[in-house]
Every structure is written in structure tokens, then in C-alpha cells.
Amino acid sequence: MTFSNFNLNPRLAAGVTALGYQTPTPIQQQAIPPIMAGRDVMGLAQTGTGKTAAFALPILQRLEQGPRGRVRALIVAPTRELAEQIHQAFNDLGRQTRLRSIAIYGGVGIGPQLQALRAGADIVVACPGRLLDHVRQGTINLTQVEVLVIDEADRMFDMGFLPDVRRIVRAVPEQRQTLLFSATMPDDVRGLVREVLRDPLTVQIGHSAPVETVSHAVYPVAPHLKTPLLTELLRATDTGSVLIFTRTKHRAKKVAQQLERAGFRATELQGNLSQNRRQAALDGFRAGTYRILVATDIAARGIDVLSISHVINYDMPDTTDAYTHRIGRTGRAEQTGTAYTLVTPEDAIAVRDVERVLGQKIERRTLPGFDYRAAPPAQDREFARDPRPIQGMRRSTPARDSQWAAPAQPMRGPRNAPTGGYDRTGARPRP
Ligand code: AMP
């Protein structure tokens, strides 16, 4: 199948060519025809599958007909970064259509958004909170909306946005086309689908992409040796752009600083940064000024940087879904990627849960030459233990094994324990 099968008008076909897309991705193959036919569609697909173009192309094709300068398509997304990316995709794909897209989100001045709205936009890509501010103030007119897209509905739910999404749905006409995308289908999202979609067609792209295009490995290590191991791993590995995940904002900041001090071009992306600094980090990472971005899950939501060769989980994610979401940042659009996870003995069961979802065993690796026996520095105990218990995935008990955190009893090295010191059941290594 090629894009010509969709009978896109020449201006949109030019947009597709300009972006270098040759073959439609599976979600595009399945979703574009019914969306173009006007049906409501529920897309079970994660970021990285090409889902943005799957809804953007049919929307642009539809909007080319009819009046200009009124909001006829509304896309609701959970984070500013994702909203920006979707907005950018509309701009890139629709460059020749002269349709106007604007992005609306909080954390930035409202002035430019008001100006853009007054100037007339055809497509609005928005985060729920700021969009509702505009609705309440009467500064946006949603009465002409023909297509509503709810993107990453499961994240919207995770972030507590579902009530806002329902308010938004009430602010748009009942007579409309509705598209909803979600990587997973928790009950609340299923409920939303029943409420807001009409006779929807379900299009499902399984969690297969991470297995097929991403190779996975875990590096067992004691908590206090995570940063030294990460540093050595980065030195020893040939990488493109690297995205590193930590479990807390503070750890993202700290790890980025440690890597910078070790001579890497690294920066951080986490929720405590101002919008300007977040944008600068993202732009710098995309442009290659920074080779390494250390981020939290929420801040990194939807990051769309095609050259990410490695995703490294500095901390094991909280849920198997979060693991899939994180590694969805690499191995995108038919490229291959690598996912490394630094795991402590506490993560043993979480690793097994991930293996179950992936349907494969993840290779345990040790880094040759790395001193797994090193004691933690006397001063800095910061990383001598995990930041907080993992929720959402079953975990081993007892939750904490003092042997792993105590400086006087450093972790056994690979010479003694080839798997890095613990077995899959999370049991303490035998002396
Ligand atoms: P998305 O899942 O929408 O975030 O898309 C993931 C990445 O794949 C983005 O960088 C898109 O520009 C890219 N992409 C989308 N569709 C295609 C395609 N048919 N061929 C190549 N790359 C694509």
C-alpha cells in the first residue's frame, strides 16, 4: 500500500512527500480510510506508530473544503509537548493547504493565543486546562467544530483530565466526528468511548512494535552505582540521541548534572522547569546540541525525536505500560532502537512483569571492566536507595534488602555473580 491509495489531494500528497513518508504505517493504513469516510474511530495505538498523521491527513483533507477561519477541528492532548508536536505535524503536512493550526496550553502567556484565535484558526490543538479557560472566558468559539480528537486518552485519565475532557465534549456540537486514541484501555477510558463516540470502528495496533524494533537489556546494579554504571555504559556504547528516564523530577535534574559534569552534552526535562526551559531542552535535544536528555515520564510524554537510538531507564518505571510508553520513544517509524534498564534487586518482579508483556525474556548484562564492588561515596547517599516504592507492578518482598544499600557490604561483582548479583526471583544472591 502507498499513500496514493488514500486519494489525498495533491497539496496533502506534497506534505507527505516533504516529510519523507513513503509507506503508510499500519495505523495509517487501517485508520485513514474510515476517518476519511467520516466514521468515529477508536485507535488503540501508542505514540511512535504514526497515529498523528493518521488523523491529521483526513482532517486536513476535510477542512480544505468549506469555510476558513473558524475552529472546525479540535485536538485535545494531555501535555504541552504533545500539543506542540501535533500542531507541528498539522503545519508540516498541511503546509500547502494554508489551513491554520494553533496550539493552546497553559504555562505560557495567554496574549499570543488570544491574538491567534482572533486572527482565525481552522485547527486548535489544546491541553484541557487552558482550553477550558478560553471556553469560560468566551475567547474561543467551539460551536463550529466538526471533528474532535481525544489523543492519549489513557494519559489524560492518569493525569486527572477526564472531567475536563467531558466538559470539552459538552462544549462542542453533538453532530460531529470523534476520534479517540489511547495506548491502553482502562475502564474509565472505555466509559468515555461509550459516552462520546458514535458506533466507533476500533483500530488496534498491538504492543508489538517495541518487541520488533527495539532490543531490550537490563543491567543489574546496586542503587548507589547507577550513575557510575550509566556513565561507563554511555562511554562504552555507540549511540545517537539518548533519552534517560528517572522516577522523580529531582533525580532527572541530578542525573543530568552528574552527566554534564562527566563531560556529556546532557540536559534535563522535568515539570519543575519553566515552559521556556522545557522548550529549550527539547529543541536542543532535537537539534543535537544535547545528545542526552534526562526526563521524567510525564515531561517526556510524546517526545518525538526520530534519532533516539537508546532509551535508558535509570529507574525502573512504575508500570509495565510506562515501560512500553518509554521505549516507544525509540525504534520509531521502522527504525531500530535499544532499551537499557538499570535494575536493582527490588526491581526483579517488575522486570518479570515487563517480560510477560513483551512476551520475551530480557537479556541480563554486565558491563565488562565496571567495578561492581565499589562502595558508595561517603558524602553523597542520594542514590544509595531507590526513590520510592514502585506502584502498579507487583514487587518483591521484603521491599528493601539492606545488603544492597549498605556501604560496608557492596554488591557482589560480576566475577562472582555473572548475572550481576541476583536471580529473577529477586532473591538475595547466595554467598
Ligand atoms: P507519531 O506516532 O504520530 O508520534 O509518529 C511517530 C513518528 O513517525 C513521527 O516522527 C512521524 O513524523 C513519523 N511518521 C509518521 N508516519 C510515517 C510514515 N508513514 N513513514 C515514516 N515516518 C512516519
Side-chain angles (χ1 to χ4, degrees):
M1 188 185 248
T2 69
F3 278 95
S4 59
N5 292 70
F6 301 136
N7 288 325
L8 293 170
N9 71 42
R11 289 168 299 284
L12 290 178
V16 168
T17 309
L19 287 186
Y21 300 174
Q22 282 165 358
T23 317
T25 64
I27 185 97
Q28 290 162 1
Q29 293 182 22
Q30 292 183 45
I32 289 178
I35 297 176
M36 282 176 87
R39 283 202 64 173
D40 282 6
V41 168
M42 179 178 81
L44 266 168
Q46 61 199 81
T47 301
T49 52
K51 69 182 163 67
T52 314
F55 62 78
L57 286 169
I59 288 175
L60 288 163
Q61 176 111 334
R62 173 182 184 136
L63 266 46
E64 273 231 296
Q65 311 292 320
R68 297 280 169 124
R70 52 185 74 170
V71 183
R72 292 169 61 207
L74 174 64
I75 294 88
V76 188
T79 65
R80 316 175 237 207
E81 284 77 15
L82 185 61
E84 265 302 329
Q85 273 166 212
I86 298 170
H87 162 65
Q88 200 53 50
F90 272 103
N91 273 347
D92 292 343
L93 290 166
R95 180 139 293 142
Q96 294 200 11
T97 66
R98 298 185 173 276
L99 286 159
R100 284 160 77 166
S101 160
I102 61 170
I104 287 187
Y105 43 78
V108 294
I110 204 161
Q113 295 174 3
L114 286 173
Q115 251 171 1
L117 282 168
R118 264 187 233 118
D122 306 285
I123 300 150
V124 166
V125 187
C127 295
R130 178 60 66 88
L131 177 64
L132 283 172
D133 289 346
H134 282 284
V135 171
R136 280 186 210 109
Q137 291 169 23
T139 43
I140 191 167
N141 178 358
L142 298 179
T143 61
Q144 306 296 312
V145 167
E146 297 168 28
V147 189
L148 171 69
V149 183
I150 301 168
D151 199 12
E152 304 210 342
D154 52 350
R155 284 288 142 171
M156 216 91 82
F157 164 65
D158 285 348
M159 294 167 75
F161 284 146
L162 279 202
D164 282 353
V165 171
R166 290 199 166 89
R167 278 181 207 115
I168 291 164
V169 171
R170 285 199 291 274
V172 300
E174 237 174 79
Q175 193 64 39
R176 58 162 198 268
Q177 182 179 24
T178 311
L179 313 171
L180 181 143
F181 291 86
S182 197
T184 58
M185 204 32 74
D187 285 347
D188 297 75
V189 174
R190 211 175 286 280
L192 187 71
V193 168
R194 271 197 301 271
E195 280 168 52
V196 305
L197 274 71
R198 204 174 288 171
D199 183 27
L201 185 83
T202 302
V203 170
Q204 182 160 6
I205 304 300
H207 281 295
S208 55
V211 189
E212 281 162 18
T213 59
V214 176
S215 64
H216 309 252
V218 298
Y219 283 85
V221 64
H224 71 274
L225 290 176
K226 278 187 174 183
T227 300
L229 178 67
L230 175 68
T231 311
E232 287 313 306
L233 197 54
L234 286 167
R235 290 213 172 96
T237 313
D238 194 12
T239 71
S241 296
V242 182
L243 182 55
I244 297 173
F245 286 97
T246 62
R247 206 175 287 144
T248 65
K249 295 185 254 193
H250 178 66
R251 282 162 79 89
K253 180 182 173 142
K254 195 85 196 216
V255 172
Q257 285 171 349
Q258 288 170 328
L259 290 177
E260 243 190 311
R261 250 180 266 129
F264 294 99
R265 285 180 284 121
T267 190
E268 58 180 306
L269 185 71
Q270 41 91 1
N272 286 347
L273 298 177
S274 68
Q275 176 63 17
N276 279 350
R277 286 195 57 199
R278 283 158 66 141
Q279 199 59 49
L282 211 46
D283 289 347
F285 186 52
R286 203 172 273 137
T289 317
Y290 301 111
R291 186 163 71 92
I292 298 168
L293 184 68
V294 190
T296 55
D297 290 279
I298 290 188
R301 195 68 207 130
I303 284 184
D304 180 12
V305 178
L306 268 184
S307 57
I308 294 173
S309 68
H310 289 68
V311 166
I312 301 181
N313 297 312
Y314 184 91
D315 296 312
M316 187 77 192
D318 286 347
T319 63
T320 50
D321 258 1
Y323 183 91
T324 323
H325 275 295
R326 285 181 178 184
I327 63 157
R329 308 281 87 77
T330 187
R332 313 191 91 191
E334 338 266 289
Q335 300 195 19
T336 55
T338 303
Y340 292 150
T341 305
L342 309 189
V343 296
T344 65
E346 297 192 347
D347 300 323
I349 292 188
V351 171
R352 214 161 48 204
D353 286 345
V354 168
E355 289 177 322
R356 201 169 303 125
V357 168
L358 296 179
Q360 66 179 33
K361 182 151 164 47
I362 303 177
E363 185 191 343
R364 271 70 174 159
R365 286 196 197 157
T366 49
L367 186 66
F370 182 74
D371 182 8
Y372 283 89
R373 292 162 162 267
Q379 303 271 298
D380 184 7
R381 295 284 174 80
E382 173 121 27
F383 293 108
R385 56 182 177 78
D386 279 332
R388 63 184 162 82
I390 294 175
Q391 289 153 14
M393 282 199 277
R394 286 180 303 114
R395 49 176 310 135
S396 53
T397 49
R400 209 145 260 157
D401 180 341
S402 60
Q403 173 176 350
W404 302 92
Q409 293 174 297
M411 188 168 174
R412 297 180 69 85
R415 274 151 292 179
N416 298 332
T419 58
Y422 75 103
D423 70 23
R424 290 185 60 220
T425 62
R428 191 191 281 225
R430 274 187 293 276

